[in-house]
Amino acid sequence: MRLFSKVATVLIIAVPLLAQGHDGSCRCGGPPIVPVPWEIDHLDAPYSAAAKEVFDRWNAYIEVFDYRPGDGVMAPNGKNEIAFLDIATTSARYGVNMDRNTFAITYMSPLSAAGDFDACPKPPEASCGTFDETDVIVNSDFSRGFKPSGPIDYTDHGPALYAATVGHELGHTLGFHHNVNDISVMNLYEDFAAQYIAAADTEEARVAYPSRVRRVIDLAIYPFYFDPGLTDYAATTPVDVSPAAVVPGGPVTIRNFEFENVGTESVPDVLIRFYLTRGVAIAPSDILIGSLAFSGPIVSGGYWDDDQAGVTFNIPRDVPLGTYYLSAVISQGNGTSDAILYNNSWIAPQQVTIVSGIRRRAAPRR
Ligand SMILES: [Zn+2]
């Protein structure tokens, strides 16, 4: 049971619409059959599990990946494989030269099947074919290294999140090209954004692989604001919570966040709840500070962003003093969460300290 069961504040917001920055992924080339057989050549359990999680992340929308454990040897050999390789081995086996700033590469054979272009939109004259083989080579010499799972590093200086890199590379194996104008796993922005397979991706995937489409309800809340007018790392601004210290009853503002309906189904309404949380994970003891309620229907591909204006809630007066993180959880209006869990919540990087508002002055002693 939550410590505070009543919603402190509910702000009602109008129906979100379709708009710029949320559609327009593109594709050229693809596998000869679906589902595509894959071998996971990671030999250690954490990365094998991480690879399965990313295959399943795509499969939640289109059931295209049929993966199994491999023999641990990845090479141009007619099989679709994923593993870590170092720069020297990649050069020797594939004739491709990575540097230490390369996260990963996707080997596609023949490369000409992907058409002769890099980024969306697809040129009208592009000639697209079929890949005989696709391998995802994760660079074990990458300067920052990798980690198999979270938490998210908003500064983007620490180890890279495996799922963000591999989700993108698996998109390439399906024929997806870079997409710098939309929220997309195929964009070239930071892990806190790149980890998400977004509406632009699922819409294109459903068009490309109609026989493999799964009908799903999936609301995604993103811990960033995306500006479609900018590209690369400039396009995203991570979530921000301020001020760093506040008295009980005082205001806290949460800025730079968005949601999308990534699923196939329209939902009648959407609720975003904001909590103070003690740890770095969502917990039942988290303290509700406010909610945003959206009246719908919110159609597949529908979205809303805060336009960097943020929302402000007052901290409940009876909250215990201390230092907290701020988390957000998205659900349908009746509180029902969907089954695709990884994009249902986030925890902001900033901490908020609730400090005593009473300034006691000792009475002079007599
Ligand atoms: Zn790429």
Side-chain angles (χ1 to χ4, degrees):
M1 198 167 116
R2 294 191 187 277
L3 199 53
F4 298 88
S5 56
K6 277 185 296 196
V7 176
T9 312
V10 182
L11 303 177
I12 309 291
I13 302 215
V15 182
L17 302 168
L18 295 165
Q20 190 186 9
H22 297 260
D23 54 13
S25 278
C26 73
R27 205 181 48 88
C28 183
I33 55 155
V34 282
V36 193
W38 273 82
E39 292 192 357
I40 298 174
D41 281 329
H42 292 299
L43 295 175
D44 58 316
Y47 282 103
S48 298
K52 290 175 185 172
E53 194 179 326
V54 185
F55 281 120
D56 288 343
R57 204 169 274 189
W58 275 104
N59 281 346
Y61 305 105
I62 47 167
E63 291 182 88
V64 288
F65 293 118
D66 181 17
Y67 59 82
R68 65 203 64 210
D71 58 6
V73 180
M74 180 171 67
N77 56 11
K79 298 187 292 185
N80 304 301
E81 298 163 303
I82 182 166
F84 281 104
L85 280 188
D86 61 32
I87 291 171
T89 307
T90 302
S91 178
R93 291 186 190 170
Y94 290 89
V96 176
N97 295 309
M98 301 189 290
D99 61 29
R100 295 194 68 232
N101 296 319
T102 305
F103 292 70
I105 57 169
T106 299
Y107 170 76
M108 294 175 279
S109 177
L111 186 58
S112 59
D116 186 25
F117 68 102
D118 179 52
C120 299
K122 181 170 78 174
E125 68 277 13
S127 170
C128 312
T130 300
F131 304 131
D132 302 322
E133 178 178 354
T134 50
D135 293 337
V136 171
I137 302 161
V138 189
N139 184 2
S140 62
D141 288 328
F142 177 58
S143 56
R144 285 164 43 200
F146 282 90
K147 59 182 180 182
S149 56
I152 275 295
D153 169 17
Y154 286 94
T155 67
D156 216 43
H157 291 148
L161 184 65
Y162 178 93
T165 289
V166 170
H168 175 106
E169 302 302 333
L170 288 180
H172 282 313
T173 75
L174 296 173
F176 281 85
H177 281 249
H178 290 143
N179 178 357
V180 298
N181 299 315
D182 291 291
I183 295 180
S184 167
V185 75
M186 303 312 296
N187 207 319
L188 298 168
Y189 47 33
E190 303 96 318
D191 287 0
F192 63 77
Q195 64 171 321
Y196 297 106
I197 297 174
D201 309 311
T202 57
E203 286 175 5
E204 178 69 21
R206 289 177 190 123
V207 170
Y209 301 96
S211 69
R212 308 305 300 172
V213 170
R214 289 180 71 164
R215 299 195 72 89
V216 286
I217 296 169
D218 184 33
L219 295 169
I221 185 163
Y222 302 137
F224 60 89
Y225 173 79
F226 176 74
D227 183 342
L230 300 173
T231 55
D232 298 343
Y233 285 15
T236 51
T237 309
V239 64
D240 179 82
V241 178
S242 64
V246 61
V247 297
V252 62
T253 298
I254 307 118
R255 203 183 305 278
N256 304 323
F257 60 97
E258 315 205 358
F259 80 78
E260 284 187 327
N261 182 350
V262 187
T264 51
E265 309 305 306
S266 185
V267 298
D269 42 32
V270 165
L271 184 65
I272 301 174
R273 285 173 285 191
F274 297 91
Y275 296 94
L276 297 176
T277 178
R278 287 281 195 184
V280 290
I282 308 271
S285 60
D286 292 349
I287 300 164
L288 184 65
I289 63 163
S291 305
L292 293 181
F294 299 83
S295 52
I298 293 110
V299 299
S300 172
Y303 88 104
W304 176 89
D305 66 54
D306 79 330
D307 203 22
Q308 300 200 277
V311 294
T312 299
F313 299 106
N314 290 319
I315 299 291
R317 292 194 177 278
D318 46 359
V319 65
L321 303 184
T323 298
Y324 299 86
Y325 286 97
L326 192 133
S327 64
V329 178
I330 194 166
S331 65
Q332 291 189 52
N334 62 7
T336 306
S337 294
D338 61 64
I340 298 176
L341 301 176
Y342 84 101
N343 57 17
N344 285 354
S345 64
W346 46 248
I347 298 180
Q350 299 85 11
Q351 290 187 306
V352 178
T353 301
I354 314 299
V355 295
S356 171
I358 302 162
R359 299 172 68 191
R360 296 180 193 279
R361 183 161 177 235
R365 290 184 188 280
R366 293 181 181 273

